[in-house]
Amino acid sequence: MTDMIISINQLTAPLVERLVEEAPQLRLAVARQDNGVRIVDAGIQVAGGIEAGRRIAEICLGGLGRVSLVPAGADAAWAWELAVSTAQPVLACLGSQYAGWILVHGEGKGSFFAMGSGPGRALAYKEELFREMGYRDTAASTCLVLETDKTPPLPLLDKIADQCGIPPESLTLILTPTSSLAGSVQVVARVLEVALHKAHFLGFPLDHIVDGMGTAPVCPPAPDFLTAMGRTNDAILFGSRVHLFVSGEQAAAEDLARRLPSEASADYGQPFAQVFKAADHDFYKIDPLLFAPAQVTVTCLTTGRSFRAGQLNADLLERSFT
């Protein structure tokens, strides 16, 4: 699937260290836990910010992607977008950025739950996805990004380090609440990853995805979790554009373009917060086809033909963001 000499953990290590070194300028807080694990607070007890979120998104991409702030079109109601690109879309997005590691400790009211993103997933090697990709990383230190508003308990931190095969002092966790500036940015920066995840769900061969890029509007955060989560999802569902470059048969590329956009879902048509509420706050009751970019272009490298499907939905985006 990918060149095995690429180590996403080694690529991200200098990005993590730079984030830590510049924490004061980025409005972040860094602390060591009793077991030595380093915690970077990107919006719980500190303000964090958009630039911090942009850098955290590049860490999530395993050091293989670029995330930039770019002006939107002149007729766009929301003036700034995140532009994401990578020459290794499968490894960067699915092998690192995808929130695929379930982290749980305890039960009931005092329990902790989060999904882990970042290069540490490739050390733990707990997901079937890595066996499908044929990729496993080795490194002396690692990082995970968690979309959470509280610090994981010490026993869970010890477990994460153990499953990554490293001492606790070599583990860094970056915590990004959904309601924070940094949290909202790093979630919206998953625009390309969302496209790859749906392509994988649809059965498109991962080794046929050669290159990719995407854009999505920077959404305003909200102090209420449900509103904040809805806006980050809606930025992608209604305001994003993704371009994939694929090998293989032209018919397969055309079919992928047709089936990939969010509007192909039966649950399309309302802001995500309303869809989530109607599903009794259960993600598993939502049509998985909904989680996709708004507009997609797929270029078949074999023939040079491009296929476009989906559309931007400014009205639904406005309903969500305001």
Side-chain angles (χ1 to χ4, degrees):
M1 174 62 63
T2 187
D3 189 341
M4 294 299 292
I5 67 171
I6 296 176
S7 170
I8 54 177
N9 280 279
Q10 292 182 31
L11 288 172
T12 54
L15 303 182
V16 173
E17 293 309 312
R18 185 182 175 199
L19 187 79
V20 169
E21 291 169 4
E22 299 182 9
Q25 301 96 297
L26 296 170
R27 298 191 295 271
L28 307 177
V30 182
R32 290 280 180 182
Q33 302 302 99
D34 289 343
N35 60 357
V37 172
R38 183 168 59 181
I39 298 291
V40 179
D41 177 356
I44 303 174
Q45 299 295 329
V46 293
I50 291 172
E51 172 61 14
R54 187 196 67 78
R55 294 196 195 184
I56 292 166
E58 291 189 337
I59 290 169
C60 280
L61 285 162
L64 290 169
R66 176 179 297 176
V67 179
S68 305
L69 282 163
V70 298
D75 58 345
W78 300 91
W80 289 91
E81 294 183 330
L82 294 170
V84 182
S85 61
T86 171
Q88 293 279 346
V90 174
L91 181 54
C93 294
L94 298 184
S96 189
Q97 191 181 30
Y98 172 56
W101 189 358
I102 301 173
L103 301 171
V104 180
H105 180 79
E107 297 180 357
K109 187 176 180 180
S111 64
F112 179 89
F113 174 86
M115 301 294 292
S117 304
R121 293 173 48 235
L123 293 187
Y125 200 68
K126 294 178 65 64
E127 303 159 50
E128 179 61 32
L129 181 59
F130 287 105
R131 285 174 278 280
E132 183 177 342
M133 293 170 56
Y135 181 81
R136 186 170 191 173
D137 200 9
T138 58
S141 64
T142 194
C143 173
L144 284 176
V145 175
L146 276 58
E147 190 178 347
T148 181
D149 61 0
K150 57 184 177 179
T151 301
L154 287 176
L156 181 57
L157 296 178
D158 287 331
K159 182 178 179 181
I160 294 170
D162 180 67
Q163 293 184 344
C164 289
I166 59 171
E169 58 268 22
S170 297
L171 172 64
T172 299
L173 293 188
I174 303 174
L175 310 183
T176 60
T178 312
S179 59
S180 68
L181 280 167
S184 61
V185 167
Q186 74 91 12
V187 174
V188 174
R190 296 170 187 271
V191 53
L192 184 58
E193 177 259 301
V194 168
L196 264 72
H197 186 262
K198 184 168 180 181
H200 180 242
F201 179 81
L202 293 173
F204 190 82
L206 292 180
D207 57 356
H208 287 189
I209 301 176
V210 178
D211 218 320
M213 50 195 176
T215 62
V218 177
C219 69
D224 170 67
F225 169 75
L226 182 60
T227 302
M229 180 189 64
R231 288 177 176 180
T232 57
N233 277 277
D234 292 338
I236 296 174
L237 301 181
F238 307 129
S240 70
R241 291 175 291 183
V242 165
H243 194 159
L244 298 180
F245 300 83
V246 304
S247 60
E249 297 294 327
Q250 178 175 293
E254 183 176 10
D255 181 66
L256 178 63
R258 178 181 59 83
R259 300 170 67 194
L260 199 53
S262 56
E263 69 175 14
S265 167
D267 282 339
Y268 182 90
Q270 296 289 333
F272 184 78
Q274 295 182 27
V275 175
F276 188 57
K277 184 177 180 180
D280 299 322
H281 301 89
D282 185 347
F283 276 103
Y284 296 101
K285 292 183 180 179
I286 300 173
D287 180 8
L289 297 178
L290 179 65
F291 300 99
Q295 187 178 80
V296 176
T297 301
V298 179
T299 295
C300 177
L301 296 173
T302 307
T303 64
R305 289 285 307 278
S306 294
F307 304 94
R308 184 176 295 114
Q311 60 183 325
L312 303 181
N313 194 321
D315 291 340
L316 283 175
L317 201 65
E318 191 71 9
R319 284 172 57 188
S320 173
F321 282 14
T322 57

